[in-house]
Amino acid sequence: THIFETVNNKDLGASIDLAENGINGLECMERKMNLCCREPYKIVMVDKHMPVMDGFEMMNNLKLKCD
C-alpha cells in the first residue's frame, strides 16, 4: 500500500488518504461526506482483510449511513 501511495502520489499528483483499519477508513469517508467536500473521493480501495473491520463491512456500513 505504501509503495502504491508513493509512486502514484508523485506521478499523478494524487492526494491519498491511508487508513490503518476499516473503522478508520469509515471515519475518513464520513468526514469527507460531512464536510460536503468539493473534492470527494473519486476512488476508494479497500482490503477484504483489513483489521478490526474488513472492507466489505466498512462499505456496507457506509451504504447504510447514506440511505
Side-chain angles (χ1 to χ4, degrees):
T1 307
H2 297 287
I3 293 170
F4 178 80
E5 174 198 10
T6 303
V7 171
N8 285 312
N9 201 11
K10 289 179 184 175
D11 294 344
L12 302 176
S15 175
I16 299 172
D17 295 326
L18 295 176
E20 294 295 319
N21 59 57
I23 291 176
N24 294 138
L26 185 59
E27 290 168 350
C28 287
M29 296 288 295
E30 290 172 337
R31 204 169 23 256
K32 282 276 193 175
M33 290 175 4
N34 289 337
L35 293 175
C36 296
C37 187
R38 292 183 185 183
E39 294 184 30
Y41 291 118
K42 294 180 180 153
I43 298 173
V44 176
M45 298 174 69
V46 297
D47 184 345
K48 66 180 184 177
H49 297 291
M50 292 169 68
V52 184
M53 178 188 292
D54 67 34
F56 295 116
E57 187 177 355
M58 183 191 104
M59 296 308 288
N60 284 333
N61 276 301
L62 183 63
K63 184 179 174 184
L64 289 173
K65 291 176 186 279
C66 291
D67 286 342

